Amino acid sequence: MSIRIDLGPGHRLGPGKVRLLEMIAEHGSIAGAGRALGMSYRRAWLLVEAMNRGFGRPVVEAQTGGRAGGGARLSAFGTDVVRRYRAVEAAAEAAAAPFLICLGQAGDA
């Protein structure tokens, strides 16, 4: 089961965007997150920009760097977005579990 939340016209949050945010947190860059997901830097950057615009505040912030250059990290708000999305996902899965089990057994009849 996957959850997509429609937050407004043209502003959606789903498993792909949340996974991108998690990969940015893990890899410390949009490029690294994109590579880990098999996504171009441009596509990853466009998704981040769409989230930043849609929420009206940054979910990802640039980090200035030294010799190795900069990177990106989740803002406190971005971290909260991921946490809340995963909580909605877990609650929906728990609520749907009895129904999904029955659907899975429908093919056994």
Side-chain angles (χ1 to χ4, degrees):
M1 184 167 85
S2 66
I3 303 293
R4 184 187 77 190
I5 303 169
D6 293 322
L7 298 163
H11 181 40
R12 296 179 183 91
L13 183 67
K17 287 179 181 173
V18 171
R19 190 71 184 130
L20 175 59
L21 293 176
E22 290 170 334
M23 289 291 99
I24 290 169
E26 183 176 320
H27 292 274
S29 75
I30 294 172
R35 278 191 300 275
L37 295 170
M39 178 186 302
S40 72
Y41 170 77
R42 178 168 168 71
R43 176 76 177 137
W45 185 84
L46 289 172
L47 289 171
V48 167
E49 285 298 306
M51 286 186 278
N52 286 344
R53 271 193 320 276
F55 284 114
R57 55 183 157 163
V59 292
V60 173
E61 302 170 327
Q63 305 187 128
T64 55
R67 285 189 356 207
R73 66 174 176 214
L74 297 189
S75 65
F77 176 70
T79 300
D80 197 45
V81 165
V82 170
R83 184 184 58 78
R84 289 176 188 268
Y85 176 86
R86 292 300 185 200
V88 166
E89 186 178 58
E93 287 177 0
F99 303 101
L100 295 175
I101 289 169
C102 291
L103 286 174
Q105 294 172 349
D108 297 337

